[in-house]
Amino acid sequence: MESGSDVARLNEYAQKKKSLGLLKYEDLGSFGPDHIKTFTQRVVLNDKVYPEGVGKTKKEAKNNAAKNALRDLEEAARQPSVGTTAVENYNPTSAQQEKELNQNDSDICNQTRSLSVNSQDNSSEQNNFIGLVNHYCQKKNRCHTFIEDRRWGPAHEPQFFYRLIIDNKEYPVAKGKNAKEAKQNAARHAWFALQEQSDWDSKMSVRSTVSEGGAPPVLSTPSTPVDSHEASSQRTSTSKSNSITFEDSPNPSQAQIPLEPDNGTPTRLSNSLESITSSQSMSSGTSGSGLFTDSSNSSKDQHAVKDKNMGNTENETPTHSRFTSEFDIIDCLGRGAYGCVYAARHKLLNKCFAVKIVRSDEKALREVGTLSDLLHSNIVRYYTFWMEDSRYQGHITVGSSAGSFSSSQSIDDPSAKYLYIEMELCQTKTLKKWINEKNTQSQPDTKRRQESQTIAQQIVNGVEYIHCKGHIHRDLKPDNILFGVDGVVKIGDFGLVTKDDDDDDDDIALMERTRQRGTYTYMAPEQITGKNYDRKVDIFALGLIYFELLWKLSTGHERVVVWNDARSLKLPEQFSVTFAEENKIIRLMLREKPEDRPEACELKAELKKWAQTQHLHKERATY
Ligand SMILES: Nc1ncnc2c1ncn2[C@@H]1O[C@H](COP(=O)(O)OP(=O)(O)OP(=O)(O)O)[C@@H](O)[C@H]1O
């Protein structure tokens, strides 16, 4: 479609449907250095905000914003009568139609609220994702069905787990307080995945072909398809699907049931969650978030179990490692306390990913479990994970290019297992580097304030999403905040993530380890003292980050003094003068008592208000 045509289509639609009120485009500013700057715009129609459009120019961003709005309007309008698009076929002839369309608009609003990457994703919200998926499948001639994965919990408080399967592809398991809610949530997972169709589908199909020598990938329990109003006409047989399987089980050993492969021999996957838990003493209650198995591992990986020498020397080509056989390793992006992160190109997909390799323990399992639960534009996108018996040992020095790695003998514990976590590849520049660059610029940076605000807003959006999913990040700091290739802020490193209501022993041990590593710079006071704490620790860290984004901190002793003062709510006098509005917000975030700190959603609203005020000032200044 020709550039700009979505803007024209949306204009036409808004004109025809005058009752919708004024069609507005909001300019949300630009981000990034000049040569890779991205612009963001969004549509507001009848006071409803539609998903943001991002582009390399304002025009492109505007057109993408119009495209997103049209997509939502069309999707919503299709719900009551499949095949009709509100945009193309709008022709109100009666008050009833007008009423229906208004109803559609309210549906659209609901969907937008939920689909918008920046909005709160409340899993209990009953948006019609089932309807969206239903319609999508009809349009694309795909079969889909909901599968009840399991039920869990006491009779008075049961939890239902459902997954959606579309054309033999399984999407992540979702839970709900009842079957309907679980199905809606499963449809939501699938819907988001479908938004990224090319990625998801191709990856899924690649995974399903990994199996060699006829060895079937191990699947999870082939549950009985349940009757679904939404899916009854679309049911398909799925029990032998070769696609990836996610498990979201607080009781992993029960979740893994060996399947009868085609030859009738029961098979059990070496890296099933059961084997993970048997060797790793996984605590089922710690994260409470979705643990899942990746059934894509095949005979290749089972082979790797027997061969513990993979990847150790240049001569011994690590052919038995899924990592080295499926990926070209490009670069070592960094080493954390627990593992390494590599940039790697998937050979079949010809697409680059970040693959984090960590020893499999609670922290790592917690990280993948949580990441699999999160899908938000301001959170590093997780794709999949698998287990290997060895850690990739090609020692590439950080930042070096492919092929230059040398051999090194493994000093790993032979009984250890390693998690390979495949994620979205971000820029190598972290927020820490961004801050350092700003602080070392000799000229005053006139854009710093505006950019800081955009960054802070994006972090808050991500944190709001994490909190509304019932998690606490607990390790927010500029080092753990990355930029996507398009410049969008991405929260990463979920190694310390926990459930908001968690306070078990493993958790305390994990925090103790973190404290010992001295990363308490951004920790809330109650987190340092080891008291009971909740999601408000993330708000405290965010307050410090926002302060650091804006304020040029010197190095050495002075920095320590300013930092400690800031932690005790004594912000530099000049700061409160120069950044009066931000000062107010930050002071709320840094309050000593967690209950006095704002919730992420309140902060989001506050920052948005502040951004709009600034925007108005800027506009006035240009006239
Ligand atoms: N998805 C990604 N894309 C690009 N770079 C990444 C990605 N994930 C991590 N990195 C980089 O790899 C480095 C190591 O990341 P990792 O999360 O393991 O380390 P860390 O933050 O020190 O973790 P930990 O706190 O667990 O020690 C970081 O410096 C980070 O910049």
Side-chain angles (χ1 to χ4, degrees), residues 308-318 335 340 342 390-397 404-412 418:
K308 303 278 286 185
N309 300 320
M310 65 183 198
N312 285 345
T313 70
E314 273 172 335
N315 294 334
E316 287 174 73
T317 315
R335 286 171 202 284
C340 299
Y342 293 93
S390 302
R391 188 203 301 264
Y392 173 72
Q393 293 284 341
H395 273 184
I396 309 177
T397 47
S404 62
F405 56 90
S406 62
S407 62
S408 106
Q409 216 38 54
S410 169
I411 48 161
D412 289 334
Y418 296 89

Side-chain angles (χ1 to χ4, degrees), residues 2 20 186 279 308 350 398 520 591:
E2 169 197 342
L20 279 180
S279 64
K308 303 278 286 185
N350 194 23
V398 177
Y520 54 81
R591 284 188 173 167

Side-chain angles (χ1 to χ4, degrees), residues 332-343 353-358 363 367 380-381 398 422-430 433 475 477 479-483 490 492-496 514 517 519:
C332 175
L333 297 169
R335 286 171 202 284
Y338 297 99
C340 299
V341 181
Y342 293 93
F353 295 93
V355 179
K356 183 167 177 172
I357 308 172
V358 286
K363 177 185 184 297
E367 187 167 356
V380 173
R381 168 94 192 263
V398 177
E422 187 184 322
M423 298 175 287
E424 161 187 13
L425 179 65
C426 297
Q427 294 180 31
T428 47
K429 181 173 176 170
T430 61
K433 282 189 194 152
D475 201 14
K477 55 185 179 183
D479 274 316
N480 289 341
I481 295 167
L482 308 171
F483 294 98
K490 308 273 176 182
D493 197 353
F494 283 76
L496 281 185
T514 310
R517 279 169 48 206
T519 54

Side-chain angles (χ1 to χ4, degrees), residues 161-290:
F161 294 79
Y162 273 82
R163 80 166 72 106
L164 183 55
I165 299 186
I166 303 177
D167 276 355
N168 283 345
K169 289 186 184 96
E170 299 184 14
Y171 292 86
V173 168
K175 68 179 172 201
K177 290 192 282 297
N178 49 46
K180 191 173 171 210
E181 193 184 80
K183 279 186 213 167
Q184 278 288 6
N185 289 334
R188 185 167 55 90
H189 281 326
W191 178 252
F192 280 122
L194 287 164
Q195 306 272 303
E196 311 217 17
Q197 187 71 53
S198 55
D199 266 350
W200 190 267
D201 271 356
S202 49
K203 285 174 67 57
M204 298 298 261
S205 50
V206 167
R207 302 287 180 246
S208 64
T209 58
V210 168
S211 185
E212 282 177 356
V218 169
L219 306 175
S220 66
T221 319
S223 324
T224 317
V226 290
D227 227 7
S228 143
H229 296 307
E230 304 78 15
S232 53
S233 61
Q234 313 269 339
R235 203 172 305 134
T236 184
S237 162
T238 55
S239 61
K240 297 259 164 126
S241 154
N242 278 3
S243 61
I244 193 165
T245 305
F246 293 81
E247 286 296 340
D248 192 3
S249 170
N251 187 351
S253 58
Q254 279 184 16
Q256 281 298 314
I257 296 177
L259 272 193
E260 296 266 308
D262 290 344
N263 63 10
T265 319
T267 309
R268 210 170 260 267
L269 184 68
S270 64
N271 73 344
S272 71
L273 199 51
E274 187 171 358
S275 67
I276 299 171
T277 48
S278 63
S279 64
Q280 305 288 335
S281 70
M282 173 62 193
S283 157
S284 63
T286 39
S287 80
S289 55

Side-chain angles (χ1 to χ4, degrees), residues 513-578:
R513 239 156 63 196
T514 310
R515 278 192 283 273
Q516 281 165 10
R517 279 169 48 206
T519 54
Y520 54 81
T521 318
Y522 296 85
M523 271 188 195
E526 69 275 17
Q527 209 175 348
I528 294 175
T529 51
K531 285 191 206 145
N532 278 344
Y533 57 82
D534 61 12
R535 61 189 173 279
K536 295 293 183 65
V537 297
D538 287 343
I539 303 295
F540 188 88
L542 254 167
L544 288 169
I545 294 171
Y546 197 12
F547 169 63
E548 199 182 5
L549 281 171
L550 290 161
W551 196 241
K552 190 168 177 170
L553 282 168
S554 53
T555 49
H557 179 66
E558 198 190 329
R559 180 191 160 93
V560 177
V561 173
V562 174
W563 193 258
N564 287 338
D565 281 352
R567 289 183 56 90
S568 331
L569 259 186
K570 281 181 254 142
L571 297 170
E573 215 176 297
Q574 197 51 44
F575 180 81
S576 54
V577 176
T578 318

